[in-house]
């Protein structure tokens, strides 16, 4: 299995005081906290009361692990606190808590795209010794080796893998069957299928994708560029690739999809895309696998029994798909003041075999063999998607380039500036960032 990021490689509950008071369904989650699994979390009694603050954004794929940790590890003398937050809020709070000598949070949800930057800055604790210490107790050797590699930097593990998320295409099988359509395998087919559905007269904007200008749009561009076989940076020469023809092609291909999407698509995050599928205003959506199980719930949509799943298309043909593979996991900040062994047991319990099985089908756990076609309606699509994801860019500059070029990407895709001007700006921004890493 190859691994990428939450932009290119791209992972809950509620406040809990001393007593267990959990309720999490906000900020994109459709997994109630009261349904969290109770698993073994045999923590030693602390000599004094301990409060552990957990930072993890709300989503249906992350919440099962967070809720399980909070429910299972809260006991006499130990309280876990977690407040609902969206992904953008998590990013901001992560930056803030890692900035000083002491931080607010003891456990961080992290992901493969951002981890190299924090690890290179020595803001996270290496976990290798703790994995060795607790391997047998929590069966940590059963966690997929490639996912462990995705949360490693410079030969050290900085995140304990929880789950993987990858792009999956969800579509209305009833609409496709009625029109004699098959799931598209290229962007050209995606446009043709969208045009056919529109022409049928019932769904004017048949395609939904998260292109939120403040976050998702950079992920979309990186996925398109990766499908064309090009990384942000040629790591051997330390030179950005935004002056290559594929950089412009990625923009043109994404812009060609806009006529088939809601005019306000650059304000849509993944929950908004889900809503388009729930209410029938879209017939296809490409988004992270962690959002797929929500579509199959009758309580969310009258179309729940009509959704089917396929791997995302490639941009221009070939085996590398328009895709993002993000490995999500748990990290311990270097400035955390609580006992690292205590914190590690909490995160290890939340990714135990029992916890991982309980997370399916909402999530795609990091343990080998957990997800099967019988346990998840989108398993086959997800497994094919993983195998054809673009390769990883596990470098500390990758996330910085993505963040600093995001506004340019949004301007180009929305037509605010020409493609050539946008790629030139991105080349300049990336070159300045890479200069800081030159020997």
């Amino acid at each position: 299995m190859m691994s990428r990021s939450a932009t290119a490689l791209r992972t809950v509950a509620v406040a809990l005081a001393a007593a267990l008071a959990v309720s999490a369904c906000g900020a994109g989650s459709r997994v109630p906290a009261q349904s969290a699994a109770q698993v073994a979390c045999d923590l030693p009694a602390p000599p004094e009361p301990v409060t552990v603050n957990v930072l993890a954004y709300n989503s249906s794929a992350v919440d099962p692990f967070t809720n399980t940790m909070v429910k299972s590890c809260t006991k006499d003398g130990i309280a876990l606190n977690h407040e609902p937050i969206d992904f953008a809020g998590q990013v901001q709070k992560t930056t803030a808590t890692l900035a000083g000598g002491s931080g607010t949070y003891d456990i961080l949800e992290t992901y493969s795209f951002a981890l190299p930057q924090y690890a290179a800055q020595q803001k996270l604790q290496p976990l290798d010794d703790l994995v060795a210490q607790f391997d047998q107790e929590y069966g940590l050797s059963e966690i997929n080796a490639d996912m462990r590699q995705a949360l490693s930097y410079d030969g050290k593990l900085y995140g304990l893998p929880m789950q993987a998320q990858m792009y999956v295409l969800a579509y209305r099988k009833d609409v496709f069957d009625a029109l004699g359509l098959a799931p598209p395998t290229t962007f050209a087919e995606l446009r043709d299928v969208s045009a056919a559905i529109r022409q049928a007269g019932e769904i004017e904007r048949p395609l939904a994708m998260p292109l939120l200008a403040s976050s998702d749009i950079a992920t979309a561009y990186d996925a398109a560029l990766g499908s064309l076989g090009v990384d942000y940076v040629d790591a051997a020469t330390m030179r950005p690739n935004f002056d290559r023809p594929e950089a412009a092609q990625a923009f043109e291909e994404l812009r060609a999809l806009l006529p088939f999407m809601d005019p306000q698509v650059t304000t849509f995050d993944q929950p908004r895309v889900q809503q388009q599928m729930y209410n029938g205003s879209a017939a296809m959506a490409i988004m992270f696998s962690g959002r797929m199980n929500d579509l199959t719930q009758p309580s969310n949509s009258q179309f729940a029994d009509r959704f089917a799943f396929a791997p995302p298309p490639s941009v221009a043909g070939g085996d590398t798909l328009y895709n993002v593979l993000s490995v999500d996991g748990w990290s311990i900040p270097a400035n955390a003041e609580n006992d690292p062994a205590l914190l590690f047991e909490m995160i290890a319990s939340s990714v135990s075999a029992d916890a991982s099985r309980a997370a399916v089908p909402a999530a795609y756990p990091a343990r080998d063999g957990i997800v099967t076609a019988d346990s998840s309606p989108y398993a086959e699509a997800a497994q094919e998607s993983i195998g054809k994801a673009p390769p990883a860019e596990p470098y500390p500059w990758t996330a910085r380039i993505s963040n600093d070029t995001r506004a340019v990407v949004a301007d180009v895709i929305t037509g605010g500036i020409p493609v050539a001007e946008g790629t030139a700006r991105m080349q300049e921004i990336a070159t300045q960032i890479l200069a800081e890493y030159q020997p």
Side-chain angles (χ1 to χ4, degrees):
M1 185 186 92
M2 302 295 291
S3 53
R4 193 163 199 165
S5 65
T7 283
L9 207 329
R10 212 69 204 125
T11 267
V12 178
V14 92
L16 186 83
L20 186 61
V22 191
S23 73
C25 260
S29 173
R30 297 261 173 173
V31 176
Q34 59 266 30
S35 68
Q38 180 78 50
V39 301
C41 185
D42 299 324
L43 302 175
E48 297 180 359
V50 171
T51 297
V52 173
N53 295 316
V54 181
L55 179 60
Y57 74 100
N58 285 104
S59 90
S60 297
V62 173
D63 288 354
F65 301 95
T66 311
N67 295 343
T68 291
M69 184 197 309
V70 170
K71 181 176 183 178
S72 302
C73 298
T74 297
K75 49 192 63 185
D76 291 342
I78 301 175
L80 275 72
N81 295 326
H82 176 265
E83 298 179 356
I85 194 168
D86 62 12
F87 181 72
Q90 172 178 306
V91 171
Q92 294 172 351
K93 287 182 177 292
T94 296
T95 301
T97 197
L98 296 179
S102 61
T104 305
Y105 295 96
D106 304 279
I107 295 173
L108 301 178
E109 191 277 338
T110 189
Y111 53 103
S112 48
F113 184 65
L115 183 139
Q117 180 181 352
Y118 295 131
Q121 296 169 346
Q122 299 182 329
K123 293 184 180 295
L124 304 177
Q125 296 189 30
L127 303 179
D128 301 271
D129 291 344
L130 291 166
V131 168
Q133 180 180 347
F134 293 104
D135 184 5
Q136 185 172 359
E137 183 174 353
Y138 293 99
L140 301 179
S141 59
E142 298 170 6
I143 293 176
N144 182 273
D146 289 314
M147 294 196 199
R148 288 175 60 161
Q149 182 61 35
L151 294 182
S152 298
Y153 177 74
D154 199 22
K156 296 180 180 179
L157 183 73
Y158 288 93
L160 187 65
M162 167 209 307
Q163 60 148 351
Q165 295 202 55
M166 68 298 298
Y167 274 171
V168 169
L169 170 70
Y171 64 97
R172 283 275 301 279
K173 191 173 186 302
D174 58 326
V175 173
F176 274 60
D177 288 350
L179 298 175
L181 301 174
T185 62
T186 65
F187 269 31
E189 291 179 8
L190 184 60
R191 293 191 294 270
D192 289 344
V193 167
S194 297
I197 294 173
R198 170 183 285 175
Q199 188 174 3
E202 294 187 7
I203 303 176
E204 178 64 20
R205 305 285 182 174
L207 178 61
M209 293 167 60
L211 293 182
L212 182 65
S214 62
S215 60
D216 300 273
I217 205 162
T219 307
Y221 178 75
D222 193 29
L225 189 63
S227 181
L228 294 171
V230 175
D231 293 333
Y232 271 9
V233 174
D234 183 330
T237 62
M238 292 290 283
R239 190 177 187 282
N241 284 325
F242 300 117
D243 58 354
R244 291 184 51 165
E246 293 89 347
Q249 183 182 358
F251 274 126
E252 298 292 1
E253 291 281 358
L254 286 168
R255 289 174 58 163
L257 298 177
L258 293 180
F260 303 105
M261 291 189 275
D262 189 288
Q264 303 300 315
V265 66
T266 54
T267 68
F268 285 9
D269 56 8
Q270 292 195 87
R272 290 287 298 275
V273 170
Q274 283 180 305
Q275 192 60 46
Q276 288 179 276
M277 297 295 281
Y278 292 152
N279 63 27
S281 61
M284 292 180 290
I286 301 173
M287 54 186 168
F288 277 120
S289 58
R291 304 289 176 174
M292 295 298 143
N293 188 60
D294 293 342
L295 299 179
T296 69
Q297 305 305 307
S299 58
N300 294 337
S301 172
Q302 62 178 313
F303 306 112
D305 62 347
R306 306 179 201 177
F307 292 120
F309 307 95
S314 68
V315 171
D319 285 339
T320 305
L321 305 179
Y322 170 79
N323 202 0
V324 176
L325 179 56
S326 177
V327 179
D328 296 292
W330 299 111
S331 291
I332 299 175
N335 60 10
E337 297 183 355
N338 279 314
D339 177 19
L342 180 74
L343 299 175
F344 186 83
E345 284 208 70
M346 293 176 179
I347 64 179
S349 70
S350 78
V351 300
S352 66
D354 288 342
S356 296
R357 280 190 288 268
V360 179
Y364 191 103
R367 288 179 176 268
D368 286 324
I370 295 290
V371 179
T372 66
D374 292 332
S375 65
S376 171
Y378 60 88
E380 292 183 7
Q383 288 163 352
E384 185 173 349
S385 177
I386 286 177
K388 296 181 178 180
E393 291 188 76
Y395 308 109
W397 57 76
T398 307
R400 291 186 59 191
I401 292 173
S402 177
N403 291 335
D404 289 5
T405 59
R406 183 189 303 121
V408 180
V409 171
D411 283 342
V412 174
I413 290 179
T414 58
I417 60 175
V419 171
E421 181 180 342
T423 54
R425 287 187 191 178
M426 294 170 72
Q427 186 77 1
E428 181 180 358
I429 291 168
T431 299
Q432 292 174 351
I433 290 173
L434 288 170
E436 301 177 28
Y437 298 92
Q438 298 287 349

